[in-house]
Amino acid sequence: EAGVAQSPRYKIIEKRQSVAFWCNPISGHATLYWYQQILGQGPKLLIQFQNNGVVDDSQLPKDRFSAERLKGVDSTLKIQPAKLEDSAVYLCASSPRSAGNTEAFFGQGTRLTVV
Amino acid sequence: RKEVEQDPGPFNVPEGATVAFNCTYSNSASQSFFWYRQDCRKEPKLLMSVYSSGNEDGRFTAQLNRASQYISLLIRDSKLSDSATYLCVAGGSSASKIIFGSGTRLSIRP
């Protein structure tokens, strides 16, 4: 079974530039998550989709971050404009839609460095 | 208060030792609990689910105390390959968010 695919693996940009990350979840998984993981910390949930609807985006900095999940499959996360503190690994995860099972499967992440 | 709290460690123990991690969660409505393992510069991967009755997988034992809202992980006969960060996770129903703790770093020395 193919896992969660993310691209790019690495990205270096200057502050105030824009960047976009892409995620393709495991086939059939209805739930998709974007997490931000800063070095030395645990993953922080940015946004959760159930199919193509947003379930939770309470910790998404909406003045600069946006995410969409068209057709309930692939998703993109965008940062515009980037700040130095956005340097982190952005992890995409997906989860099957089964009652009581919220195990998340992660992609390898995109490591963003803002200089 | 963080929704899921863990002792960040690091725990530095000799090979063969037994080590235990605890984790507390604040949302009493949480229904699903997991331990994930994350190696350096890698993505988190599921280590084991945590059930109310407690569960064991080889050298690993996980327990849940709903009354006190804490989760534990016990590693017996630790191996060098157990060195990693262990992330405690609490989630709700299938449509609820999954919240990670900050992780506990474990280092096993020869």
Side-chain angles (χ1 to χ4, degrees):
Chain A
E1 179 182 85
V4 176
Q6 288 189 249
S7 67
R9 288 293 310 278
Y10 306 93
K11 190 75 176 179
I12 301 174
I13 62 172
E14 294 183 349
K15 59 183 179 184
R16 291 187 290 273
Q17 284 188 321
S18 301
V19 65
F21 312 129
W22 173 82
C23 172
N24 179 237
I26 293 174
S27 178
H29 280 194
T31 307
L32 185 147
Y33 310 86
W34 282 102
Y35 287 87
Q36 178 193 60
Q37 187 171 26
I38 293 172
L39 187 64
Q41 299 182 19
K44 170 189 166 186
L45 180 66
L46 293 176
I47 188 167
Q48 176 183 341
F49 293 94
Q50 186 78 9
N51 296 309
N52 59 349
V54 175
V55 173
D56 187 290
D57 63 357
S58 57
Q59 296 206 78
L60 187 73
K62 299 180 185 63
D63 57 333
R64 299 184 300 106
F65 286 65
S66 64
E68 60 180 7
R69 189 183 185 195
L70 298 176
K71 300 181 182 178
V73 182
D74 292 4
S75 178
T76 55
L77 176 70
K78 297 179 182 178
I79 308 175
Q80 181 181 12
K83 293 184 176 181
L84 295 176
E85 58 261 37
D86 298 331
S87 294
V89 176
Y90 290 85
L91 294 161
C92 179
S94 69
S95 184
R97 187 183 181 183
S98 51
N101 177 4
T102 53
E103 176 189 348
F105 297 82
F106 284 84
Q108 292 183 302
T110 296
R111 186 174 299 275
L112 173 68
T113 302
V114 182
V115 298
Chain B
R1 182 186 173 189
K2 292 182 180 178
E3 291 191 60
V4 178
E5 293 204 66
Q6 295 182 248
D7 181 341
F11 286 70
N12 189 326
V13 302
E15 197 173 6
T18 295
V19 61
F21 308 137
N22 288 327
C23 161
T24 58
Y25 61 96
S26 61
N27 185 355
S28 58
S30 298
Q31 299 180 26
S32 307
F33 306 93
F34 307 91
W35 283 101
Y36 277 72
R37 169 191 169 129
Q38 186 171 28
D39 293 298
C40 188
R41 302 179 77 86
K42 298 285 188 180
E43 74 274 22
K45 291 186 178 178
L46 180 68
L47 177 66
M48 59 194 305
S49 301
V50 186
Y51 304 120
S52 297
S53 55
N55 49 301
E56 189 174 307
D57 183 1
R59 299 181 293 107
F60 298 83
T61 300
Q63 291 193 313
L64 167 64
N65 184 319
R66 285 190 184 273
S68 300
Q69 294 184 207
Y70 82 75
I71 308 154
S72 64
L73 177 67
L74 182 78
I75 306 175
R76 292 181 300 278
D77 187 25
S78 54
K79 312 291 184 189
L80 295 176
S81 56
D82 294 334
S83 296
T85 296
Y86 291 83
L87 298 160
C88 174
V89 181
S93 62
S94 60
S96 300
K97 57 186 179 183
I98 301 174
I99 303 298
F100 283 76
S102 295
T104 298
R105 284 196 295 133
L106 172 66
S107 178
I108 308 297
R109 63 179 187 269

